[in-house]
Amino acid sequence: MNKIFEIPLYPYARSADQDAAAPARHKVVVVGAGPVGLGAALDLAQMGVEVVVLDDNDKVSFGSRAVCYAKRPLEILDRLGCGVQMVEKGVEWNLGKVFFDTRQVYEFNLLPEGGHKFPAFINLQQYYFEEYMVARAREMQAQGKPIELRGGNKVTKVTDAGDRVVIDIDTPDGPYAIEADYLIACDGANSPIRRQMGLEFEGEVFQDNFLIADVIMEASFPTERWFWFDPPFNRGQSALLHKQPDNVWRIDFQIGWDIDREEELKPENIDKRLRAMLGDDIQYTLEWSSIYTFQCRRMKQFHKGRVIFAGDSAHQVSPFGARGANSGLQDIDNLGWKLKLILDGVAPETLLDSYDDERIHGAKENILNSTRSTDFITPKSEISRIFRDAVLDLAERHDFARPFVNSGRLSVPCTYDGSALNTADALPGGPARSRPGSPCADLPLGDGFLLERLGARDAVKFQVLAIDAKAPAAFGAHGLDVEVIALSAREHPLLAERYLGEAASAIYLIRPDQHVAARWDAWDETAVAAAIGRAIGKEI
């Protein structure tokens, strides 16, 4: 077993809050030290917001869990200071293959267009991800950033008191309480906080189960995503194979609904499945195993008063498509800068409503795609199965059928079309990919990349990207200093493709989360100021 599972990275230590005469008040408390909770804490602390992370555990997650990370979340993590480290350790892959019985019927290549800092996808065990994030938190602490991790602190009760949140906590030294301006619940799919507040999921639980086995072995399989429908080693079901670092292979077996979980998880029964798939002579070590059920559900509202939900505590999707942790990271990317502006008094508290609107929009997209994948992978009727199998047969020989093959539509960035924070598009002929609401597309700029210059790092900032357009050297509106970045498509040709389209020049207003708030063909001070006001939730 990898020793990382056994090392307390944030062990319990008594805090001064436990000896205080009255509950200590903090700006933000995050409950849950998984990838989403740690990401929220890093983002806030990086911008100078005081944050305390509480978790009843003190170690990284056991097993690979979330394993597949897409380019957009890697860009977010780069802004938080740990994206490059993940790519250096992770396994990059671009090619996916789909098999029906023993035949390969389809393959797809995710190799992105050139000119991006990060790859389309990497595979990396969640325990490494969490280790890197904890290390980043320690680095930020050494720099004087206001972040604190408290292991062995189990939240037992949360009370929204109107102007604050009261948090009751149990520890090895007994109970204590603290207060916070806001609480972010990142306490997982079974969120005790969500249940305590009487807030439940709406959606669907699918009657099927999948067995995960993380296997350490020397194997000659290429670094690709392989998915089987009705393979001879798992008849009537499906299977998935992925490579991870350190010669760990992630294998998922569909095992049906009416199962004995305890029996299925016995090593001797997992061994039978593995040898049926890989051969009797295979030499391996079983690192971790688990069983999961497909669920496509979400909360009706992602915040209630001063309690905010993010990641699996707010929404769940089936794991095929890598939309769980990837969407959770986009949650905190959307939330952090808004909370900072509210705490600073720059934006109204109603700006939090846009977190609900935009991230529920993202959750709906993910649930729709995840539900469609689940319906294809696990047909609910004989007619559905006949259709699925016919599509797979046709896909082997005919291009038209291949888009219908659905072994898990993989995570893509969310564009916030229709958001109240967007200003109407005013760039005639501008590319659809960079319309208001879209995440900015990366491109090389000399010895760096565009996204390295965009977004909130040490401070919340809106930015103006002026492409072959006149604009002031600096600008301010609504209490915010706006950085102006002037670039030319003559020096950086990809700007024309990704930001100009048919336009000769452009002015882009970029949000702190690297999403486009507005765009025009020329500088207009009144219009830019109005767009900033709209993007921070102020009435114009």
Side-chain angles (χ1 to χ4, degrees), residues 7 25 56 90 136 139 200 214 250 318 410 494 505 529 536:
I7 302 171
R25 180 74 169 259
D56 57 349
R136 175 61 178 148
E139 180 183 29
E200 293 302 328
D214 277 355
R250 167 78 165 266
S318 61
L410 292 164
L494 284 177
S505 62
I536 63 174

Side-chain angles (χ1 to χ4, degrees), residues 6 71 122 173 210-211 316 339 376 391 422:
E6 305 301 326
K71 184 169 73 69
I122 65 164
D173 287 335
F210 285 76
L211 170 72
Q316 287 179 275
L339 210 50
F376 194 85
V391 167
N422 295 345

Side-chain angles (χ1 to χ4, degrees), residues 132-191:
Y132 299 155
M133 297 184 95
V134 171
R136 175 61 178 148
R138 298 303 186 204
E139 180 183 29
M140 292 172 66
Q141 285 178 323
Q143 296 167 350
K145 296 293 186 181
I147 183 171
E148 183 181 358
L149 307 182
R150 296 185 187 176
N153 278 242
K154 181 179 181 179
V155 173
T156 58
K157 186 179 180 182
V158 169
T159 305
D160 189 333
D163 63 340
R164 67 197 186 284
V165 182
V166 181
I167 305 116
D168 292 322
I169 305 162
D170 195 16
T171 76
D173 287 335
Y176 74 108
I178 58 176
E179 298 178 350
D181 290 357
Y182 289 93
L183 181 143
I184 306 175
C186 304
D187 53 343
N190 294 317
S191 172

Side-chain angles (χ1 to χ4, degrees), residues 27-31 36-45 47 49 51 72 76 79-80 181-186 302-311 313-315 327-344 347-360 416 421 456 460 462 511-515 535-536:
K27 286 295 183 183
V28 177
V29 167
V30 175
V31 180
V36 177
L38 288 170
L42 293 178
D43 196 15
L44 290 166
M47 293 184 288
V49 177
V51 58
R72 178 58 196 150
I76 294 168
R79 186 175 61 78
L80 301 181
D181 290 357
Y182 289 93
L183 181 143
I184 306 175
C186 304
F302 284 8
H303 88 282
K304 183 74 170 177
R306 291 179 174 268
V307 180
I308 306 162
F309 295 84
S313 71
H315 47 77
S327 62
L329 289 168
Q330 291 177 73
D331 288 347
I332 60 98
D333 183 51
N334 185 281
L335 174 63
W337 66 273
K338 296 174 179 178
L339 210 50
K340 166 67 172 172
L341 291 180
I342 292 169
L343 288 166
D344 287 351
E349 291 183 3
T350 53
L351 183 59
L352 268 184
D353 294 339
S354 72
Y355 169 69
D356 281 9
D357 295 341
E358 292 183 339
R359 292 312 302 154
I360 286 174
Y416 302 131
L421 305 191
V460 171
F462 279 77
R511 299 179 356 175
D513 58 1
Q514 300 174 332
H515 279 251
I536 63 174

Side-chain angles (χ1 to χ4, degrees), residues 94-348:
N94 295 306
L95 192 64
K97 293 180 179 177
V98 177
F99 300 88
F100 183 32
D101 195 352
T102 59
R103 298 172 286 129
Q104 179 182 325
V105 297
Y106 174 59
E107 69 177 45
F108 57 88
N109 197 320
L110 296 173
L111 186 65
E113 61 190 355
H116 292 263
K117 181 176 180 178
F118 289 99
F121 277 91
I122 65 164
N123 288 348
L124 181 71
Q125 296 93 321
Q126 184 170 318
Y127 47 76
Y128 282 126
F129 185 6
E130 292 180 11
E131 180 188 24
Y132 299 155
M133 297 184 95
V134 171
R136 175 61 178 148
R138 298 303 186 204
E139 180 183 29
M140 292 172 66
Q141 285 178 323
Q143 296 167 350
K145 296 293 186 181
I147 183 171
E148 183 181 358
L149 307 182
R150 296 185 187 176
N153 278 242
K154 181 179 181 179
V155 173
T156 58
K157 186 179 180 182
V158 169
T159 305
D160 189 333
D163 63 340
R164 67 197 186 284
V165 182
V166 181
I167 305 116
D168 292 322
I169 305 162
D170 195 16
T171 76
D173 287 335
Y176 74 108
I178 58 176
E179 298 178 350
D181 290 357
Y182 289 93
L183 181 143
I184 306 175
C186 304
D187 53 343
N190 294 317
S191 172
I193 294 174
R194 187 186 69 239
R195 292 180 183 275
Q196 181 222 306
M197 295 179 67
L199 305 171
E200 293 302 328
F201 279 139
E202 55 184 35
E204 185 174 3
V205 177
F206 292 87
Q207 293 190 355
D208 216 331
N209 293 295
F210 285 76
L211 170 72
I212 300 174
D214 277 355
V215 174
I216 303 172
M217 64 179 180
E218 297 285 344
S220 59
F221 299 114
T223 305
E224 300 168 351
R225 179 188 192 264
W226 285 10
F227 192 99
W228 287 266
F229 291 96
D230 194 21
F233 57 83
N234 198 28
R235 277 296 178 206
Q237 310 281 19
S238 60
L240 175 69
L241 175 71
H242 255 221
K243 185 177 182 180
Q244 304 173 71
D246 306 329
N247 290 318
V248 178
W249 295 80
R250 167 78 165 266
I251 304 173
D252 294 42
F253 295 99
Q254 183 183 2
I255 57 175
W257 180 244
D258 188 16
I259 62 167
D260 184 327
R261 286 177 174 249
E262 187 175 333
E263 282 295 313
E264 290 289 350
L265 287 170
K266 287 182 177 179
E268 60 268 29
N269 291 328
I270 295 174
D271 180 75
K272 290 177 184 177
R273 292 186 179 277
L274 291 172
R275 294 195 184 280
M277 177 184 185
L278 303 171
D280 289 334
D281 297 332
I282 191 69
Q283 300 293 316
Y284 73 90
T285 301
L286 181 64
E287 182 175 79
W288 175 68
S289 60
S290 183
I291 291 174
Y292 62 85
T293 302
F294 272 7
Q295 302 186 55
C296 295
R297 306 189 296 168
R298 66 171 176 87
M299 297 178 68
K300 186 175 183 180
Q301 186 179 0
F302 284 8
H303 88 282
K304 183 74 170 177
R306 291 179 174 268
V307 180
I308 306 162
F309 295 84
D312 286 350
S313 71
H315 47 77
Q316 287 179 275
V317 290
S318 61
F320 292 145
R323 294 173 181 271
N326 284 296
S327 62
L329 289 168
Q330 291 177 73
D331 288 347
I332 60 98
D333 183 51
N334 185 281
L335 174 63
W337 66 273
K338 296 174 179 178
L339 210 50
K340 166 67 172 172
L341 291 180
I342 292 169
L343 288 166
D344 287 351
V346 175

Side-chain angles (χ1 to χ4, degrees), residues 7 136 144 274 311 359 363 371 383 403 412 450 475 491 495 534:
I7 302 171
R136 175 61 178 148
L274 291 172
R359 292 312 302 154
T371 300
I383 288 296
V412 296
L450 176 61
F475 182 68
E491 297 177 12
L495 283 168
R534 185 172 294 106

Side-chain angles (χ1 to χ4, degrees), residues 359-380:
R359 292 312 302 154
I360 286 174
H361 173 79
K364 286 180 177 178
E365 272 189 8
N366 286 324
I367 288 172
L368 176 62
N369 281 286
S370 190
T371 300
R372 288 173 174 171
S373 297
T374 303
D375 287 341
F376 194 85
I377 293 168
T378 61
K380 303 304 180 291

